[in-house]
Amino acid sequence: MSGLGGFPCQAFSIAGYRQGFDDEKGRGELFFELMRMMEAKRPRVALFENVKNLVGHDNGNTFRVICEQLHLLGYHYTYQVLNAMNYGNMAQNRERIYIVAFRDIDDFNKFQWPLSIPLTTTVRDIIDFEEKKDDKYYYTEGKYKGQIYELLVEATKNDDIKNPAIYQWRRKYVRQNKSGVVPTLTANQGEGGHNVCIVKTKHGLRKMTPRECFNTQGYPKAYKLPDNQSDARLYKQAGNSVCVPVINRIAENILEAIK
């Protein structure tokens, strides 16, 4: 039996208030619920994923508590921070910490982390720069509060749409991602405000669609999005998701270790 858990990252994320275990909504404490489940079920392997900032949160005290809990349960653990663009061949700059815990020392000794692989996926593979999308995805004058539209137009006016770039609205200014990949997706991609990824096409400036967000997380093109979910919910699901190819590579190495 194995376990897979991703306790909420908002309590530790630099995009949030970094309250950790003291999070007012109780999101940080869900880690201890996972520990309770592990104590009861004793899975052979457990895999956890969270934001990179988990390691340094509260001067390292939060991560120390997590490691202590695994140790107290008798698990042997290892962890690494992996970027989706280096370990999942996905055109997204997404650094996450992964923790793999083994009940048996033999399994632990056989496990190896995946090695980095070349990035061959481009933003054109996950974002449609050619076809016109629904008008609701586009930025227009007066659509959002403040001067977002005007600043976007000014910041992108000299950019060639033949060389696609991704932009972000950063509270008061527009930032271009010059690394040729999508910035880290967050759960608020559909809101039009802070941290939202923006693409410039011949049809105008727009947000990424939910489909494109799932593409960026490595979901197969054949993966069908549910029809009974709003765009807002789909954006949250994509932003809170794991990068599928990275998880797949870790899982393959876990399987190899426990064979």
Side-chain angles (χ1 to χ4, degrees), residues 12-172:
F12 309 101
S13 173
I14 58 174
Y17 291 99
R18 292 185 279 187
Q19 293 176 315
F21 293 139
D22 296 324
D23 180 68
E24 293 175 356
K25 297 182 179 180
R27 294 171 294 192
E29 295 182 359
L30 286 177
F31 168 77
F32 297 105
E33 290 300 303
L34 291 177
M35 293 299 98
R36 184 177 63 83
M37 293 165 62
M38 285 184 63
E39 184 175 20
K41 299 297 184 180
R42 302 296 299 168
R44 186 174 177 180
V45 189
L47 168 62
F48 304 92
E49 180 263 6
N50 213 293
V51 292
K52 180 183 72 168
N53 192 60
L54 182 68
V55 178
H57 179 265
D58 191 21
N59 296 317
N61 289 325
T62 298
F63 194 65
R64 177 180 55 79
V65 170
I66 288 171
C67 293
E68 283 180 353
Q69 291 296 311
L70 290 170
H71 177 72
L72 287 172
L73 291 178
Y75 278 81
H76 312 276
Y77 59 88
T78 176
Y79 59 88
Q80 275 200 22
V81 173
L82 306 179
N83 195 321
M85 58 190 287
N86 303 127
Y87 291 87
N89 189 22
M90 289 309 305
Q92 179 189 183
N93 181 26
R94 189 180 190 85
E95 291 182 294
R96 288 293 185 267
I97 186 170
Y98 300 90
I99 308 170
V100 185
F102 295 90
R103 186 186 62 205
D104 303 321
I105 188 66
D106 288 343
D107 293 343
F108 171 78
N109 288 334
K110 293 175 184 175
F111 175 74
Q112 293 182 333
W113 286 99
L115 299 176
S116 63
I117 54 178
L119 176 63
T120 58
T121 303
T122 71
V123 290
R124 286 195 177 275
D125 294 318
I126 55 181
I127 296 175
D128 184 357
F129 289 89
E130 301 301 323
E131 290 189 12
K132 172 75 165 58
K133 303 300 178 185
D134 192 292
D135 288 341
K136 64 183 178 181
Y137 297 118
Y138 289 85
Y139 287 79
T140 54
E141 189 172 4
K143 186 174 183 177
Y144 297 105
K145 294 180 180 179
Q147 301 295 310
I148 295 180
Y149 176 73
E150 289 78 6
L151 288 170
L152 281 172
V153 171
E154 179 64 26
T156 62
K157 65 180 182 181
N158 296 321
D159 293 340
D160 184 1
I161 59 174
K162 294 181 180 180
N163 298 307
I166 311 299
Y167 306 86
Q168 271 185 311
W169 170 245
R170 301 288 291 175
R171 298 192 192 278
K172 294 183 179 180

